[in-house]
Every structure is written in structure tokens, then in C-alpha cells.
Amino acid sequence: MGLNIEDNQKMLEEILEAYPEKARKDRQKHFEINNEELINCGKCAIKSNMKSRPGVMTQRGCAYAGSKGVVWGPIKDMVHISHGPVGCGQYSWGTRRNYANGTLGIDNFTAMQVTSDFQETDIVFGGDKKLEVICREIKEMFPLAKGISIQSECPVGLIGDDIEAVSKKMSIELGIPIIPVRCEGFRGVSQSLGHHIANDAIRDFLMGKKELAECGPYDINIIGDYNIGGDAWASRILLEEMGLRVIAQWSGDGTINELAIAHKAKLNLIHCHRSMNYMVTTMEKAYGIPWLEYNFFGPTKTAESLRAIAARFDEYIQENCEKVIAKYTPQMEAIISKFKPRLEGKKVMLLVGGLRARHTLGAYEDLGMEVVGTGYEFAHKDDYEKTFPELPEGTIIYDDPTAYELEELAQRLDIDLMGSGVKEKYVYHKMGIPFRQMHSWDYSGPYHGYDGFKIFAKDMDMTINSPVWSLINSGKTGSLPKKEAGV
Ligand code: CFN
């Protein structure tokens, strides 16, 4: 099965049959089969950003994940305290692969995990005193740390600790910014509210707080690139080759200073709109900085985005932009001619966060692959509005799908590749379905920009056409005929 509207409608109904009536009605609202009306509507969306249905397996994270894991964690010269019991910090330690330059423990703390390790006594008597001690210890152990953020875990909010008062007191005592972030995991329905809370904390404590000695006409910010596997580096290099000056990276490989000077830029470039849209609209209102959404996945979208960015500047930048595209185009053609014949027509399903389920589509299409189903864990209405026009009719689009729904779809659509997260990966492997982790890039990356596409293409080929699939007795025999795969 593929992109037939009626077939897919029927298949979806069959899958949802398994639920009791109330659950079925609810889950139905989180699906659409793409059609002409949705593509042209502009305002159409799926029901989204709602509480997950109790009793089903959701892929979502929590507000703490959205703040500590996503937005604040990559700021490298600050120490981020996972404030509460040890588990949240332990399980979020080093999993997102947000790379950063610097010396670990000296001026880069991204790969470290600091937690207040709440015990029963802290729950009963409060953790404020302990937090003060930790702040002092951080200052003593890491004298070059430029600031501290306090990332609240659930119990901190439940017992009513005053982390704001501790932050204020310790900030004066230690002489560095200490920022309380009220990102208790129970807030909201997913990590998405954590992004918003984290953005608000940046706004309230750091935005606009410092000046830039010399400003230039080509000063820009990269907003919402977290440097997963080096993504922001592969993006920055193109912008710089075009003659632009990146004054701040939010927040991949970013510093506290970059959070405080970003308001001096001439243009905000936003890659992950879902997690940082609050910041670009805030900077637009407060400082009049325009912003532009861009997409650096795959050569088609990259070139489109580079031209859209250049169009916001003068001829000098526009000419450079064409030179950059001309420089990389032959490299991209070589990659496509190498990998497209091995990947053409392969059917892909995706389920990722709040951006990549849409942003990566062009990269697959550049390789001749067909995305037959895609969806998000925690997208909002505006993300779906932008998704329908990117996809052909018949594509299945889903919101916060359950593990059962996704597995059923994958099997019935007989896909060649699933792109999702680590919680799904080994289930699909056991089903004999090639899988790529599209959060951490499966220990690979970068995938952004021209350099990233070379790796993306190689990874997709390596995964789909690995001879290993034909050795798995799962009912699915693998993508390449056995002979071709060398088995
Ligand atoms: S790096 Fe980003 S691109 S920040 Fe966001 S919405 Fe997550 S951690 Mo996982 S991969 Fe994912 Fe996006 Fe933006 Fe990452 S699609 S779920 S919260 N995400």
C-alpha cells in the first residue's frame, strides 16, 4: 500500500477498530489522509497539543526534557542543575548529542550532569538549603562557569520550594547569573511547554542584557539549531561563506553571552520554529528584528533557504549566495547519482518531535524516496498547517500516535524505513524493518546543510541496504534482493 486516499482511509479505520468506541473517536481526530483540500487550505490542522490518552504508549517527553534537555542544556559555559531526584538527570545525560567546542569541566559543561539528587528528607524539609550549597560548590569547582541554571523536576514544584529566592540570593553572593527555570515535568502535555517556559526564562533573565562592541550590516542569529551531531556547524559554515556574520547560536554550541547579545542582530534565522518561535517573536516586538524560517535538510531545501536568506540582504550577499550554491551543487549531484539508484522508490515513515517530521521530507525526496506517513509527537496547529502542503495526496499524517498505531501502519504500508526515536528503534529492528534514529541521528550526523546531506544519504543507504535484513526471520525479507545484497 502507498498513497491511495481510499485505501489508506480504510486501513486507518481497521487499525482504530481495536479501540473501545470513546478512544477510537478521540484517536480518529489525530489522523488525516492528505488530500487536495488540506494541501490548499492553509489553515487546516489535525487535533494536536492535547493530553495523551491514558493507557496508551506515547512517545512524548516532559517539560523538563523540553527545557533542560532541549533549550538550556546546550548552553555550554553554564552549569545546569537537574534539581530534584537523580533519575531525570541520569536518563537525560548525554543522550541528545548536542556538540560543543571547549574543554570539558573548564569552559564547557554540556557533557556533564549535575543533580541535587533529592532524598526523602529534601522532599519533607525542602531542598532550598541544598541548592545553595550546590551553587557554592559549582562556583568553587568550576570557577570559569559563566552562570547556573536551575532546572526544576516534578517534586520541586509539588513541595513548593522557592528556587527563585535561592537564585537571587546566590547570584548576588557568587556574582554570576543564576536562573531559575520552572520546568517541572508535569507542566503541559509534552516537552513543548518546556520549550516555552525555557524561552520565557531566557527573555526574563538574559535577553538584551549585554551590548556588542561592533555591530555590522550582516549580523545574524541562528535560532533553534541545537548542533545535534554538529548540525549548527554545518549550517553556520554556509552562512559565513555567504558573507554573513553569525553573532549568536541558540542554543547549540552556544554561550550565555550569545543569549545576552542576540538582540543586536539584523535578522533572526530560525530552524526549529516549534521550540524557539517564542524568542523570535519576542525579539521582533521588543527590538524590531525580522525573522525568517529556513530549512537546511537536503540540497533542494538548502538552496531554496539560502536564496531566501540572501534576498533579505544586498547584492553582495546575493552574489555570494549563488557562488556558494554553485560550489556545492556538483558535490550534491555526485551524491545523488551515487545513492538515488539504491534508494529510489523506498517507502519511509517518520515520527519525530515537532519539526523534523516536516523539515526532513525534502532530503528524502532528493534521494527519490517516498514518505508515506509522517507525524509529530508534540506539534501545534501551525506545524500541521505547514505540513500538508509539503506532502502528496494520500500521505498519512498523525499526531502523537500510539506505539500500536505506528507499528500497525508500518507493517500494513510495508515500509522500507522507519525514522523515529530510540524507544522505537529495537521494536522495528525485531520486526525486520530498517530504522534510523531521527533525534540523535543514530550516533551520526550532522544532517544539516550540504555537508550534512552527504552523511544523510550514506546513512540511509547503509541502513536500508544492509544485508543483515535478509538474515532476520520476520516475514519481511529486506530491501535489496538477497543476491544483490551479497547474501
Ligand atoms: S533537536 Fe529539536 S528540532 S528542538 Fe525539538 S522540535 Fe526534540 S530533542 Mo528529539 S530531535 Fe526533535 Fe525537533 Fe526542534 Fe530534537 S523534531 S524531539 S524537542 N527536537
Side-chain angles (χ1 to χ4, degrees):
M1 263 197 206
L3 297 178
N4 185 293
I5 296 180
E6 287 80 35
D7 286 354
N8 284 352
Q9 196 66 53
K10 206 167 139 258
M11 178 176 63
L12 199 55
E13 277 164 27
E14 276 170 25
I15 293 172
L16 298 179
E17 277 283 298
Y19 293 135
E21 198 192 333
K22 214 171 150 198
R24 182 163 65 240
K25 274 194 183 150
D26 172 48
R27 286 302 307 153
Q28 243 158 16
K29 295 174 193 154
H30 296 265
F31 284 91
E32 282 290 2
I33 316 285
N34 207 22
N35 58 42
E36 214 188 315
E37 195 191 329
L38 291 168
I39 291 167
N40 298 320
C41 155
K43 283 261 163 274
C44 294
I46 296 180
K47 195 163 192 182
S48 62
N49 196 26
M50 306 281 293
K51 195 165 81 120
S52 299
R53 196 154 185 95
V56 300
M57 188 69 92
T58 171
Q59 272 84 349
R60 283 171 161 176
C62 67
Y64 161 87
S67 177
K68 185 262 176 184
V70 174
V71 175
W72 281 98
I75 299 294
K76 63 181 173 183
D77 57 355
M78 294 176 77
V79 174
H80 308 285
I81 304 172
S82 290
H83 190 38
V86 70
C88 307
Q90 164 66 27
Y91 287 107
S92 62
W93 186 8
T95 55
R96 193 157 168 258
R97 304 186 65 249
N98 43 274
Y99 286 180
N101 281 320
T103 308
L104 187 64
I106 305 295
D107 57 359
N108 173 8
F109 308 97
T110 50
M112 299 177 86
Q113 180 56 50
V114 175
T115 175
S116 44
D117 186 20
F118 262 38
Q119 303 298 314
E120 208 172 321
T121 47
D122 300 313
I123 301 290
V124 175
F125 299 108
D128 288 350
K129 286 277 166 297
K130 195 174 190 179
L131 189 56
E132 288 185 10
V133 174
I134 294 169
C135 289
R136 287 190 196 103
E137 282 178 0
I138 288 171
K139 180 74 185 164
E140 210 182 307
M141 287 171 73
F142 308 117
L144 296 183
K146 297 271 174 57
I148 296 170
S149 83
I150 297 160
Q151 307 285 328
S152 302
E153 298 169 13
C154 292
V156 172
L158 295 171
I159 64 177
D161 271 10
D162 193 351
I163 60 165
E164 288 79 6
V166 176
S167 301
K168 211 169 184 180
K169 178 181 164 194
M170 296 314 295
S171 186
I172 294 166
E173 184 184 317
L174 303 176
I176 51 173
I178 300 183
I179 292 141
V181 191
R182 281 284 178 190
C183 56
E184 287 88 353
F186 57 75
R187 294 184 194 274
V189 299
S190 69
Q191 50 270 64
S192 185
L193 190 65
H195 301 146
H196 198 159
I197 292 167
N199 281 208
D200 286 354
I202 295 174
R203 177 197 65 198
D204 295 344
F205 290 91
L206 293 170
M207 200 180 85
K209 291 277 191 274
K210 289 220 171 137
E211 289 306 314
L212 189 58
E214 269 177 54
C215 295
Y218 304 130
D219 291 353
I220 54 153
N221 299 318
I222 292 180
I223 304 286
D225 187 328
Y226 302 96
N227 207 29
I228 311 300
D231 280 341
W233 295 331
S235 304
R236 183 183 183 126
I237 200 171
L238 299 177
L239 300 168
E240 289 180 344
E241 274 185 63
M242 245 162 77
L244 300 171
R245 185 172 78 144
V246 181
I247 64 165
Q249 266 176 226
W250 286 23
S251 56
D253 194 28
T255 58
I256 192 169
N257 191 54
E258 286 166 70
L259 296 176
I261 59 159
H263 65 294
K264 303 308 282 183
K266 300 289 182 299
L267 177 67
N268 268 325
L269 295 178
I270 182 159
H271 205 255
C272 179
H273 186 264
R274 179 69 274 129
S275 62
M276 282 220 184
N277 67 84
Y278 321 97
M279 294 309 328
V280 290
T281 48
T282 302
M283 278 192 259
E284 186 178 38
K285 263 187 225 137
Y287 304 100
I289 304 172
W291 56 274
L292 181 68
E293 206 178 341
Y294 69 108
N295 179 351
F296 272 1
F297 287 109
T300 304
K301 291 287 179 191
T302 303
E304 254 175 44
S305 292
L306 287 172
R307 290 196 173 106
I309 294 164
R312 299 293 187 103
F313 293 93
D314 57 16
E315 268 171 29
Y316 167 70
I317 298 291
Q318 286 161 21
E319 274 166 30
N320 282 351
C321 170
E322 290 308 321
K323 281 184 206 155
V324 171
I325 295 171
K327 173 182 158 189
Y328 287 98
T329 299
Q331 294 179 26
M332 294 300 105
E333 283 169 356
I335 292 291
I336 290 171
S337 61
K338 180 173 176 189
F339 291 105
K340 196 170 174 178
R342 299 172 62 81
L343 295 169
E344 190 143 36
K346 298 291 182 198
K347 285 195 277 184
V348 185
M349 263 177 71
L350 300 169
L351 167 63
V352 220
L355 174 88
R356 294 174 176 177
R358 169 178 84 253
H359 253 35
T360 57
L361 296 172
Y364 289 106
E365 285 164 5
D366 283 338
L367 292 167
M369 299 166 83
E370 189 182 12
V371 178
V372 293
T374 190
Y376 306 93
E377 294 167 41
F378 53 79
H380 296 210
K381 191 173 184 293
D382 56 340
D383 300 302
Y384 287 101
E385 287 171 2
K386 292 177 204 162
T387 306
F388 297 124
E390 295 283 335
L391 288 158
E393 287 189 60
T395 316
I396 305 176
I397 298 150
Y398 31 81
D399 174 71
D400 186 25
T402 68
Y404 158 74
E405 291 161 1
L406 206 67
E407 287 161 28
E408 282 291 319
L409 281 171
Q411 276 172 325
R412 290 169 188 245
L413 286 165
D414 193 25
I415 57 169
D416 302 293
L417 179 72
M418 172 63 93
S420 196
V422 69
K423 298 193 288 296
E424 293 76 56
K425 175 167 174 157
Y426 299 98
V427 174
Y428 287 84
H429 277 183
K430 285 174 189 169
M431 286 157 69
I433 296 175
F435 187 101
R436 288 300 306 181
Q437 264 198 65
M438 295 304 285
H439 298 256
S440 69
W441 304 145
D442 245 333
Y443 321 106
S444 182
Y447 283 175
H448 286 185
Y450 291 121
D451 287 339
F453 183 69
K454 297 175 195 169
I455 299 164
F456 176 87
K458 174 185 70 84
D459 285 355
M460 296 308 138
D461 175 46
M462 179 176 79
T463 302
I464 290 180
N465 293 319
S466 164
V468 78
W469 303 113
S470 54
L471 303 175
I472 296 178
N473 185 14
S474 64
K476 190 170 166 69
T477 48
S479 301
L480 281 182
K482 281 189 181 177
K483 210 163 72 204
E484 208 177 315
V487 190

